[in-house]
C-alpha cells in the first residue's frame, strides 16, 4: 500500500463556534465550510492547511464513539486521516496482515470512501483512511 | 499570523522499533532517519508523508512531559506541529492575544526554531510551532 498524504487531523470539540474563535480568529486558519455528517453523528468545520485540513468535530448526539471519547478524554486530537489511492486494496492488504480494522468495508460518502483502522493496531492512534472518488 | 502547513504529527510510543513494524513494514511509510533529541529527552523516527511527516517519538528518560504523557495516557497522538514563516512574530502575536504559551521564546535547533502553545489554549491539542531556518 502507498499512503499519499495527511488528508486531515480531526480535533474533537464541545462547541465548533467557540473552537473557531481560536483556530480561525486567533490562529489564522481559514474556515472553508461547516458540514453536518449524520452518518458520523457529528458536525465538522473544515480548515484547509497546506495540502491537508484541520477538522473541528463536534458530536451531535450523546451515543457515538466520538461523544464517548469527548466525555472520557476531553477535547483534543481524535484521529488522523491518511489518503490512499485504492481503499479496498488497502483494507484487503491490512486484513491479510492481521491488522485490526474498525471497518472492513469502506463507508461511501459523496466524494470519498472512508474506513477506520483500530487504534490498538496503530500505537493508540485512530487512523482513518480516505480515498477521494471524485473532485470535491 | 499565517500558518503554512502541517510539518508533522507526533505519536508517542514505548518502542520505536516495534512501532516501525506497523508504520513502516505494514502501513507502507518510508523511514527517513532516527534522531536523538536530547533537549526533548526523546528519540524520534521521521517518516515523510506528502508535504508532512509522521514522527514516532520515544521518551529516553522517565522525567519528561513526554514520559509522563505516555505513562498516564498510553501511546497515541502527542502533538501536531504547524509551520509558520516567522515564529518570533507569531509568538508575540499569540501572546498579545492572551494565548497561553509553553515557550515564550523559541528553542533553536539546527535547521529549525520551535515553541509550544499550551493545550488549554487550543482545545486540548498540544500545538508545536516550527520555523525552518535553513535548508534541512
Amino acid at each position: 500500500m502507498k499512503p499519499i498524504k495527511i488528508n486531515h487531523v480531526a480535533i474533537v470539540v464541545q462547541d465548533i463556534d467557540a473552537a473557531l474563535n481560536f483556530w480561525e480568529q486567533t490562529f489564522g486558519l481559514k474556515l472553508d465550510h461547516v458540514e453536518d455528517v449524520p452518518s458520523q453523528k457529528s458536525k465538522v468545520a473544515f480548515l484547509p492547511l497546506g495540502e491537508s485540513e484541520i477538522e473541528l468535530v463536534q458530536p451531535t448526539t450523546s451515543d457515538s464513539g466520538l461523544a464517548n471519547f469527548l466525555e472520557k478524554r476531553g477535547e483534543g486530537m481524535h484521529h488522523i486521516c491518511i489518503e490512499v489511492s485504492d481503499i479496498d486494496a488497502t483494507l484487503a492488504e491490512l486484513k491479510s496482515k492481521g491488522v485490526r480494522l474498525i471497518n472492513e468495508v469502506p463507508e461511501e460518502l459523496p466524494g470519498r470512501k472512508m474506513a477506520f483502522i483500530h487504534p490498538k493496531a496503530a500505537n493508540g492512534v485512530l487512523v482513518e483512511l480516505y480515498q477521494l472518488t471524485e473532485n470535491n
Side-chain angles (χ1 to χ4, degrees), chain A:
Chain A
M1 60 177 292
K2 191 164 168 12
I4 299 170
K5 66 173 192 177
I6 298 175
N7 180 282
H8 63 265
V9 173
I11 299 166
V12 58
V13 300
Q14 293 279 1
D15 182 283
I16 279 186
D17 293 328
L20 284 173
N21 193 46
F22 174 74
W23 293 96
E24 189 187 22
Q25 304 301 324
T26 301
F27 197 69
L29 298 182
K30 302 287 174 225
L31 175 64
D32 188 77
H33 69 290
V34 177
E35 185 179 324
D36 268 306
V37 186
S39 71
Q40 299 290 318
K41 298 177 178 175
S42 62
K43 193 166 78 164
V44 184
F46 296 83
L47 299 139
L49 177 54
E51 68 180 13
S52 306
E53 289 181 319
I54 301 291
E55 290 188 9
L56 305 175
V57 186
Q58 176 188 330
T60 48
T61 69
S62 58
D63 65 344
S64 65
L66 189 71
N68 287 341
F69 181 102
L70 181 58
E71 193 181 328
K72 281 188 197 157
R73 305 194 52 155
E75 294 187 325
M77 285 190 284
H78 181 260
H79 66 266
I80 181 170
C81 176
I82 295 173
E83 221 172 283
V84 296
S85 54
D86 183 338
I87 197 169
D88 297 288
T90 300
L91 292 172
E93 183 180 340
L94 291 174
K95 197 177 170 189
S96 77
K97 290 176 173 172
V99 173
R100 186 166 165 192
L101 303 173
I102 292 177
N103 311 102
E104 297 199 354
V105 175
E107 180 184 350
E108 300 206 29
L109 289 179
R112 57 196 191 263
K113 294 168 80 174
M114 51 197 276
F116 284 95
I117 300 173
H118 198 285
K120 285 199 186 304
N123 299 100
V125 180
L126 179 59
V127 178
E128 183 176 23
L129 299 171
Y130 250 37
Q131 176 189 341
L132 301 187
T133 51
E134 60 191 61
N135 291 332
N136 66 345

